[in-house]
Amino acid sequence: MKADIKKKEFDQAEEKLADLMFFGLDYGIENLHADSAGTLIPIVVTEKEGERDLKRFVTERMEEGLKKGEQFLMNEKEARYGIVIYDGYLTVDGNKVDAVLVKGFDRQDEVGYIIGQRYSRKKDNTELEVIGNPAFIGNEEQMLK
């Protein structure tokens, strides 16, 4: 996050954006449950007039997929809302923990928001466990301009 981004709390986000972002967390966790390899391909969901459109960004490296998804969102000119869903990490008490992260944007807001949901996967099987509650991570530079 850049230092010049205005700081806003998550409860200041438009309710429809918050709903879309929580959908993104749920969808990301569902995808991880379904993939025993533990892979979450970066996903962009846009919403215009109540209609949602979902796109996956499959690349050789997940980081490239995330960048392509963000570039797609920055070039999107019609949607009111947009989110980027991806697999990442959160650091909690000095420990790095797997997390589904969602960056969310409302074209009529000056900032974006980031939320995350921690999870763990047992090494000996495919069982995935959600840890704690979703958390507000911070603000992000607006991508829907």
Side-chain angles (χ1 to χ4, degrees):
M1 185 174 84
K2 295 181 182 173
D4 58 347
I5 296 174
K6 182 175 179 176
K7 294 185 181 358
K8 292 177 76 173
E9 293 300 317
F10 188 65
D11 62 3
Q12 294 177 278
E14 174 73 31
E15 185 176 347
K16 285 186 177 185
L17 175 62
D19 289 346
L20 183 61
M21 292 179 74
F22 284 120
F23 162 81
L25 285 180
D26 292 342
Y27 193 76
I29 293 293
E30 284 175 27
N31 276 261
L32 285 168
H33 271 295
D35 185 345
S36 60
T39 307
L40 176 60
I41 294 168
I43 302 165
V44 170
V45 181
T46 54
E47 185 172 318
K48 177 184 172 191
E49 298 174 6
E51 295 292 320
R52 291 182 179 169
D53 184 46
L54 184 144
K55 292 188 180 359
R56 295 176 187 275
F57 292 86
V58 180
T59 57
E60 193 169 312
R61 298 186 62 222
M62 291 297 171
E63 297 85 0
E64 293 170 14
L66 176 57
K67 283 186 180 185
K68 286 189 179 286
E70 289 175 340
Q71 288 170 347
F72 172 84
L73 201 55
M74 284 188 273
N75 292 321
E76 213 301 317
K77 300 299 179 205
E78 296 182 16
R80 164 82 190 261
Y81 307 103
I83 63 171
V84 181
I85 308 164
Y86 61 103
D87 200 6
Y89 299 97
L90 291 176
T91 303
V92 179
D93 297 328
N95 297 316
K96 208 171 177 181
V97 181
D98 289 317
V100 171
L101 300 170
V102 176
K103 294 181 181 182
F105 307 93
D106 172 354
R107 193 175 300 278
Q108 296 180 5
D109 199 337
E110 57 198 329
V111 299
Y113 303 86
I114 306 171
I115 60 173
Q117 175 64 62
R118 295 177 293 153
Y119 72 88
S120 68
R121 187 182 294 275
K122 295 182 180 176
K123 293 189 185 340
D124 59 344
N125 65 30
T126 61
E127 190 176 329
L128 183 114
E129 178 185 2
V130 173
I131 302 169
N133 294 317
F136 174 56
I137 310 303
N139 296 114
E140 176 78 2
E141 186 175 348
Q142 176 59 269
M143 288 187 187
L144 290 175
K145 297 182 180 182

